[in-house]
Amino acid sequence: MIQVLYEDNHIIAVLKPAGVLSQGDMTGKPSIFDEVKNYLKEKYKKPGNVFLGLVHRLDKPVVGIMVFAKISKGASRLSEQFRNHTIQKTYNAIVLGELKVKEGDLKEKVSKVSFFAEGFAKKSDKEILEAVKKATKTRTAELSYKVVKSNGKYSLLEILPKTGRFHQIRIQMAELGHPILGDKEYAKRGTDEWQDNNSIALCATGLSFMSATGEKDINLKIDLPEEWSRYI
């Protein structure tokens, strides 16, 4: 059963569990996209195909807020906000170690393969990662972070991405020397301490944007995963 966080005539926001794909790929494994379509089909008793617009995605091992468009108008309006970076995304993460600089900005070049890259919807995360590695062009990745608390071994961060590059937060924190706990793709140490192979300690905890009609601001927030409390 999906957890609906917000719904109106144009959009629906849900909690994507860790270990679940944002959208189906060649593996045929279940995705939150398909689950939301089935939910709308049953709720509104629609006999045919249900429109659902995918306007952003979360990595498979990441838990957090995802918003979908229920009609094409909603998809267009939301996609425009993502492209123009007027949507504020908030993440929280547990990273390894204690950061010397408690608050700051990160800005660097990453491989030029964006969310809107041609054919991304038909590729698995692994295939997209391979495409990133083969890319030769670069784009700037920017985010700001601040330490919420630390116990020396781990630090809880609040992260505000200013761009939306592929695996951006995971890559930039690893490059900083403080990889995300459990992220075996980018962390060279500490991965055995994370007990869930389906997730990493990265959560999309907040999303603020304008409604599809432009009449109101929508601010969505969720709590941190309960299991994080055993680490920090």
Side-chain angles (χ1 to χ4, degrees):
M1 184 67 181
I2 66 171
Q3 182 178 342
V4 178
L5 304 172
Y6 176 86
E7 184 179 359
D8 61 25
N9 292 332
H10 299 87
I11 65 171
I12 179 170
V14 302
L15 176 67
K16 186 192 87 67
V20 176
L21 293 167
S22 291
Q23 186 184 36
D25 60 14
M26 301 298 290
T27 66
K29 293 181 179 180
S31 70
I32 191 66
F33 180 86
D34 293 330
E35 289 185 25
V36 173
K37 285 191 75 170
N38 290 334
Y39 166 83
L40 294 174
K41 185 179 180 69
E42 293 177 8
K43 179 178 180 179
Y44 297 104
K45 296 179 170 52
K46 294 189 175 183
N49 188 36
V50 175
F51 175 87
L52 191 66
L54 181 73
V55 294
H56 72 126
R57 59 182 275 166
L58 297 176
D59 296 343
K60 183 179 178 181
V62 176
V63 60
I65 302 169
M66 278 196 71
V67 61
F68 298 88
K70 294 167 60 177
I71 61 174
S72 58
K73 178 181 178 181
S76 177
R77 297 281 176 82
L78 282 175
S79 294
E80 182 179 8
Q81 291 184 63
F82 274 104
R83 285 195 300 271
N84 295 334
H85 306 297
T86 56
I87 287 182
Q88 179 60 66
K89 296 177 284 186
T90 302
Y91 288 80
N92 284 94
I94 300 176
V95 300
L96 301 183
E98 184 170 3
L99 283 72
K100 293 181 180 179
V101 180
K102 305 302 181 185
E103 186 171 350
D105 299 303
L106 301 179
K107 182 177 181 180
E108 57 192 321
K109 298 294 186 179
V110 295
S111 298
K112 186 180 179 181
V113 176
S114 71
F115 169 77
F116 294 100
E118 183 178 359
F120 85 95
K122 297 180 181 180
K123 295 180 180 179
S124 65
D125 283 351
K126 184 176 181 180
E127 289 171 327
I128 295 176
L129 182 59
E130 288 302 313
V132 170
K133 291 178 179 178
K134 293 178 182 178
T136 56
K137 296 182 180 180
T138 59
R139 302 177 75 180
T140 300
E142 296 183 65
L143 61 78
S144 63
Y145 73 88
K146 67 178 179 180
V147 177
V148 178
K149 60 179 177 178
S150 178
N151 58 19
K153 188 175 184 179
Y154 305 116
S155 297
L156 175 65
L157 307 183
E158 180 183 84
I159 299 171
L160 303 178
K162 300 177 182 179
T163 53
R165 312 308 181 207
F166 180 72
H167 285 192
Q168 175 181 336
I169 296 173
R170 299 167 64 181
I171 293 171
Q172 290 191 275
M173 296 316 303
E175 289 292 323
L176 188 63
H178 298 279
I180 293 171
L181 180 61
D183 192 352
K184 296 180 180 179
E185 195 74 58
Y186 298 103
K188 296 180 180 179
R189 57 187 174 86
T191 56
D192 294 338
E193 301 168 14
W194 184 251
Q195 298 180 12
D196 185 357
N197 291 327
N198 293 318
S199 70
I200 60 176
L202 180 61
C203 180
T205 51
L207 200 62
S208 299
F209 54 96
M210 184 70 68
S211 65
T213 58
E215 296 176 348
K216 64 176 181 178
D217 292 321
I218 298 174
N219 299 292
L220 304 177
K221 293 182 179 181
I222 59 172
D223 295 329
L224 298 177
E226 291 183 7
E227 59 268 25
W228 285 19
S229 61
R230 73 180 67 169
Y231 299 97
I232 193 166

